[in-house]
Amino acid sequence: MPNLAFASSDQKFKLYHADCKEVLPHFKESVDLIFADPPYFLSNGGLSIQNGQIVSVNKGSGTKAKG
């Protein structure tokens, strides 16, 4: 099983720190919530929807913003 980062005292809440592709195959019961951090390097020129409008997912060249 992947690295268990936290478990509540009643064992109803468990937090794993791992790749979801490693963790999910180990679950036999249902899952209530998955919190996933998206991958970095999203500068692929794709599009998404934000606040009802189409926006670019291009996050720039990876250099820090000035200001």
Side-chain angles (χ1 to χ4, degrees):
M1 188 68 161
N3 184 28
L4 178 63
F6 174 81
S8 64
S9 58
D10 60 6
Q11 295 295 309
K12 291 184 177 182
F13 174 79
K14 295 179 184 176
L15 178 66
Y16 294 91
H17 182 226
D19 187 318
C20 67
K21 292 183 274 184
E22 295 175 19
V23 176
L24 292 177
H26 293 276
F27 288 107
K28 303 289 186 254
E29 66 277 356
S30 66
V31 176
D32 293 325
L33 174 74
I34 296 173
F35 178 81
D37 186 19
Y40 297 102
F41 308 113
L42 294 176
S43 299
N44 63 359
L47 298 173
S48 183
I49 303 292
Q50 182 177 6
N51 298 323
Q53 296 187 359
I54 298 173
V55 295
S56 170
V57 296
N58 187 0
K59 301 301 180 193
S61 63
T63 59
K64 281 189 168 183
K66 294 179 182 178

